[in-house]
Amino acid sequence: MRRARDDSKPFHMLTGAGCSLSAGIPLAKALVNEIHEKYHNECRQKLEEEQLYEYGACMSCLTLNERRDLLSPHLDGAKINWAHLAIACLIKAGYVTRVLTFNFDSVLARACGLVGLYPATYDFAASASDVTSHLASPAIIHLHGQGFAHRLLNADSETAENAINIRPLFRNTLSQHPFIVIGYSGVSDSVFPTIKDQYHGEERLYWAGHSETPSNSVLEFLNKGGNTAEYLGNSDADDFLINLARELECFP
């Protein structure tokens, strides 16, 4: 990361739900359980047995307002956590310049404000573009929308459609700068095949995963990079990012 910064090619980053867990945002499994507490009959009526506990399938059984009602208490109660504070420090110190996120919350933006940094924020659920030259640096890019925006992508059909729209973004992001993934399993939505298709090993890639070893799908993805792509197992988002920022001497 020091070498990349010195070469004027700071890292791009992709974050998933694991980065927001300690901020108070539940993972997909917990949200599915909440859905079944209130809308179990609706899910039973519309879904096949194997779909009953799939996040995207369950979300498709809720209206837009019901989804907002489900997510709002968590978004309202979210607090800045160590993972996002560390990312904010990495951005401020020039080690990271673009963060793509699947998360709806604004925790990273708030953490950036805490360290006196105000990156550009883009909502690609509302306005995905096949042109990337307009993107500022540094930037936070919400792939599936923001918590209180007019469009949230939760259902499988919505994320699948959006996966097509964000192909140019991932092509640009993966081909121009080294890349690190953290807090994202690669199995919860329709975007992973797009990421896999747009990665061709032009830059180094690191996948920090919670499991000790990668899933077969992630391993297949990393194999495209050969010796320049690496899986970093047993990576809790808070611990991993704190230690990274400390090692780079930019943790507050």
Side-chain angles (χ1 to χ4, degrees), residues 1 13-16 18-20 81-90 96 108 180-183 208 235-248 250-252:
M1 292 190 84
M13 180 179 284
L14 175 67
T15 66
C19 286
S20 291
N81 64 341
W82 291 113
H84 285 105
L85 183 58
I87 294 173
C89 293
L90 292 169
V96 173
L108 178 54
I180 184 168
V181 180
I182 186 163
S235 297
D236 170 81
D238 288 305
D239 287 343
F240 179 90
L241 289 164
I242 287 172
N243 288 330
L244 180 59
R246 282 176 171 164
E247 181 68 23
L248 294 170
C250 64
F251 196 68

Side-chain angles (χ1 to χ4, degrees), residues 74-170:
H74 303 298
L75 296 173
D76 289 340
K79 300 184 183 301
I80 296 173
N81 64 341
W82 291 113
H84 285 105
L85 183 58
I87 294 173
C89 293
L90 292 169
I91 297 172
K92 186 174 183 180
Y95 290 110
V96 173
T97 187
R98 179 184 297 179
V99 179
L100 281 60
T101 182
F102 291 105
N103 301 336
F104 299 121
D105 60 74
S106 61
V107 177
L108 178 54
R110 291 161 54 197
C112 286
L114 194 64
V115 299
L117 182 67
Y118 302 94
T121 302
Y122 300 93
D123 187 336
F124 265 57
S127 58
S129 172
D130 58 1
V131 177
T132 56
S133 58
H134 67 287
L135 296 176
S137 178
I140 301 170
I141 301 175
H142 289 269
L143 299 171
H144 287 168
Q146 299 178 79
F148 302 102
H150 75 280
R151 191 170 187 223
L152 294 178
L153 306 183
N154 309 101
D156 287 336
S157 59
E158 297 167 347
T159 55
E161 178 185 355
N162 192 54
I164 298 173
N165 296 333
I166 60 178
R167 281 179 181 271
L169 172 66
F170 271 103

Side-chain angles (χ1 to χ4, degrees), residues 167-237:
R167 281 179 181 271
L169 172 66
F170 271 103
R171 183 74 197 109
N172 174 265
T173 299
L174 289 164
S175 65
Q176 302 297 320
H177 291 248
F179 195 66
I180 184 168
V181 180
I182 186 163
Y184 172 56
S185 67
V187 297
S188 296
D189 55 66
S190 306
V191 177
F192 182 66
T194 294
I195 302 173
K196 183 178 176 182
D197 288 344
Q198 300 307 310
Y199 172 60
H200 301 294
E202 293 100 330
E203 295 286 346
R204 291 189 178 274
L205 185 143
Y206 301 89
W207 189 299
H210 196 267
S211 301
E212 182 177 357
T213 57
S215 64
N216 289 336
S217 57
V218 170
L219 180 60
E220 183 181 354
F221 168 71
L222 294 174
N223 284 340
K224 294 181 70 176
N227 290 334
T228 64
E230 185 173 353
Y231 182 79
L232 309 172
N234 295 320
S235 297
D236 170 81

